[in-house]
Amino acid sequence: MNYRIEKDSLGEVKVPADMLYGAQTARAVENFPIGAEKMPLEIIRAYGIVKKAAVLANYEQGLISIEKKDYISKAAGELISGELDEHFPISLWQTGSGTQTNMNVNEVLANRISQLAGVEMGSKKPVHPNDDVNMSQSSNDTFPTVMALAAVIEVEDFLLPVFDDLKKELAKKAEKYQDLVKVGRTHLMDATPITLGQEFSAFRAQITDIIEMLKDSLKYLKKLPLGGTAVGTGLNTKAGFAEKAVKFINLETNRGFKAAKNKSAGIAAHDSFVNLSGVLKTAASFLMKLANDTRWLASGPRCGIGEIRIPKNEPGSSIMPGKVNPTQAEALFQAAAQVMANDTAVNIGGGSGNFQLNVAKPLIIYNILQSIRLLGDSTASYNKRCLSGIEADQQQIAKYLENSLMLVTALNPVIGYDKSAEIAQKAFKGKISLKEAALELGYLTEAEFEKYVDPKKMTQANID
């Protein structure tokens, strides 16, 4: 491999000749040989947005020349579009402020500009990575800013549309089966009737609430600490920089970001990310139940519950011919479990650091972005490859409903709890129907029984 020599404040360092990063990045690669995880590309590209917005704000305030403004804007545009992705080799597991990644960005942009200007990489000409690319900024305020940009963009552009698709499919199932009465179950035991449509409708209501929770959580993320520099005081910035920079961020993203009133809070703590992670965990809890209910209801097909039939996507066993498993539900379940685990890491990260700086920023955003991706990917796959193809086994549903002892609940207002329980116990012990038990006990006539024990009426309020 060919190398070039670059310098930083600690001296000379060898840098791969074909890489745009410089000495500070090379040191970080050497000093953090931890794990296989790299900084998510969503963060790198969000940094392009911030660097572009910062130089435009600095130019508007008369702090940088038009030549440097144009160069930095162009290089930052390439960063935003993903053209420079290969030049960010630092491990995720670095300093808790994300400083190494910010310096990596500064160096890549400065060296890309050197290429554009036709001068030697590492010369820090025509722009300097710290003095120009990083002007009016610190890692401490830019990193939480790009965390917010990345999280907001991923939730709005990726996760919310996936959840909306899930909501629509659940609504279709709720409407299709609104009149199909089935056995309800509580404690995994037979309970009073419900329609299959009502069962799907409950899931639809849950995802509807989660969508609203997600939207609400983004309001707090959209308060950016950019302009606070090292500790939130705005040292080395000109008054008004934050507002101008955020204006240019919004022109680039159209997301409605705002400059945080208290920038120290956005640097020292990340409560808004802990909040978002909690909503993602709530979504995971819902999806886990959806996955497990799918598995239970489809279990069998002959020796389980078997009330629904799921699509046959692939063979389910290497030894049992013809076996089909609820694989999409299992994948959804596992992704949900990982998201719950990620939330624990985010909670610990959110409480970490001292005084004016949280020092678990890479940990927090890595887990949040992974959670968003896992929830979105697993939900989209489940929706497409399982939920959309679910069909009710109406024969099985009717069989269970007919044999359910809990239909006796409809008699509580008529003959009381004790007599109703006696009917259920007699039917169970004698292996006879509820009607037969009621008639043998003499508590109701056949006409009275059929009047009051109507499964369809039991799926709604039914006392006159």
Side-chain angles (χ1 to χ4, degrees):
M1 181 181 291
N2 295 323
Y3 292 91
R4 66 178 188 275
I5 302 297
E6 287 209 19
K7 295 181 181 180
D8 62 10
S9 60
L10 296 181
E12 294 185 345
V13 179
K14 288 199 307 182
V15 179
D18 58 345
M19 290 290 103
L20 290 177
Y21 61 78
Q24 295 176 12
T25 302
R27 291 188 193 279
V29 171
E30 181 178 347
N31 290 329
F32 297 100
I34 305 170
E37 298 85 1
K38 306 299 181 186
M39 190 61 64
L41 290 175
E42 294 91 342
I43 291 294
I44 301 304
R45 294 172 187 177
Y47 248 120
I49 296 171
V50 169
K51 295 300 178 181
K52 182 177 180 180
V55 75
L56 292 174
N58 285 324
Y59 176 73
E60 199 169 88
Q61 291 190 306
L63 298 178
I64 200 166
S65 70
I66 188 171
E67 178 189 33
K68 291 182 178 181
K69 182 263 291 184
D70 289 344
Y71 270 130
I72 294 174
S73 295
K74 178 174 176 55
E78 293 180 359
L79 190 59
I80 295 167
S81 67
E83 296 174 54
L84 306 180
D85 286 351
E86 64 182 301
H87 301 284
F88 297 91
I90 303 173
S91 170
L92 174 83
W93 311 108
Q94 54 178 271
T95 185
S97 62
T99 298
Q100 277 74 43
T101 290
N102 182 38
M103 294 193 297
N104 190 176
V105 170
N106 292 334
E107 289 182 333
V108 167
L109 293 181
N111 276 331
R112 175 58 182 145
I113 290 165
S114 293
Q115 279 187 335
L116 293 171
V119 300
E120 183 181 2
M121 285 198 294
S123 64
K124 300 179 182 179
K125 295 178 181 179
V127 303
H128 192 284
N130 298 86
D131 296 339
D132 298 317
V133 180
N134 202 57
M135 181 184 287
S136 303
Q137 305 155 65
S138 165
S139 300
N140 296 355
D141 68 336
T142 59
F143 201 87
T145 296
V146 299
M147 288 168 64
L149 265 62
V152 167
I153 291 169
E154 284 299 295
V155 169
E156 289 186 341
D157 288 1
F158 173 60
L159 188 57
L160 284 173
V162 169
F163 280 178
D164 191 56
D165 286 343
L166 178 66
K167 176 183 173 180
K168 291 175 182 176
E169 189 59 46
L170 289 168
K172 290 179 184 178
K173 289 291 188 287
E175 181 178 5
K176 180 177 181 179
Y177 296 118
Q178 61 182 334
D179 296 321
L180 181 56
V181 184
K182 65 182 288 290
V183 172
R185 295 178 177 85
T186 59
H187 303 273
L188 294 180
M189 307 298 283
D190 301 346
T192 56
I194 190 172
T195 71
L196 184 57
Q198 287 172 324
E199 203 161 18
F200 279 114
S201 180
F203 288 128
R204 179 188 59 191
Q206 285 181 270
I207 192 62
T208 298
D209 287 345
I210 287 167
I211 288 171
E212 292 307 309
M213 291 180 207
L214 274 173
K215 290 178 179 178
D216 186 65
S217 71
L218 297 186
K219 294 188 298 186
Y220 306 100
L221 284 174
K222 289 184 178 182
K223 300 175 182 179
L224 305 179
L226 185 63
T229 62
V231 296
T233 61
L235 176 67
N236 290 347
T237 66
K238 191 172 182 178
F241 168 79
E243 290 71 22
K244 290 182 182 296
V246 172
K247 175 188 71 175
F248 287 115
I249 287 175
N250 284 328
L251 287 174
E252 186 76 31
T253 65
N254 193 30
R255 303 285 172 173
F257 291 104
K258 298 178 180 178
K261 292 182 179 179
N262 191 312
K263 296 174 179 56
S264 294
I267 293 171
H270 296 314
D271 300 338
S272 58
F273 292 95
V274 174
N275 178 54
L276 171 61
S277 183
V279 177
L280 297 174
K281 179 181 68 174
T282 302
S285 178
F286 155 68
L287 292 169
M288 185 174 286
K289 183 181 187 301
L290 178 60
N292 283 332
D293 281 4
T294 301
R295 296 194 298 158
W296 276 103
L297 291 173
S299 61
R302 292 187 173 180
C303 302
I305 293 176
E307 289 186 342
I308 62 172
R309 296 189 294 269
I310 58 175
K312 298 179 179 180
N313 295 321
E314 68 279 312
S317 173
S318 62
I319 188 173
M320 293 175 280
K323 196 171 192 297
V324 176
N325 296 329
T327 52
Q328 289 296 318
E330 290 169 5
L332 185 62
F333 167 90
Q334 292 176 83
Q338 183 62 56
V339 170
M340 292 177 178
N342 288 353
D343 180 63
T344 299
V346 172
N347 290 339
I348 294 170
S352 297
N354 303 95
F355 308 119
Q356 278 67 60
L357 185 66
N358 174 284
V359 291
K361 301 182 196 299
L363 168 73
I364 290 170
I365 194 58
Y366 175 80
N367 281 280
I368 283 178
L369 290 176
Q370 187 191 57
S371 291
I372 293 170
R373 178 56 57 180
L374 284 174
L375 290 175
D377 284 347
S378 60
T379 299
S381 187
Y382 168 85
N383 198 27
K384 177 181 178 181
R385 298 177 176 86
C386 183
L387 179 60
S388 64
I390 284 177
E391 295 289 341
D393 188 326
Q394 299 197 30
Q395 184 177 357
Q396 184 80 319
I397 286 173
K399 174 184 173 184
Y400 285 142
L401 185 64
E402 183 180 350
N403 290 330
S404 174
L405 296 176
M406 290 306 100
L407 296 179
V408 78
T409 306
L411 297 177
N412 286 356
V414 181
I415 61 175
Y417 182 94
D418 291 338
K419 288 182 178 179
S420 298
E422 190 178 350
I423 291 173
Q425 291 299 322
K426 183 176 180 62
F428 179 70
K429 292 176 182 178
K431 296 183 179 180
I432 59 178
S433 70
L434 288 172
K435 183 194 292 186
E436 290 171 322
L439 295 178
E440 287 184 15
L441 289 168
Y443 291 149
L444 293 156
T445 66
E446 183 174 357
E448 287 173 330
F449 183 91
E450 292 178 352
K451 174 183 177 181
Y452 295 116
V453 184
D454 183 338
K456 176 61 177 176
K457 289 181 179 178
M458 293 176 70
T459 62
Q460 53 195 303
N462 62 352
I463 297 179
D464 294 332

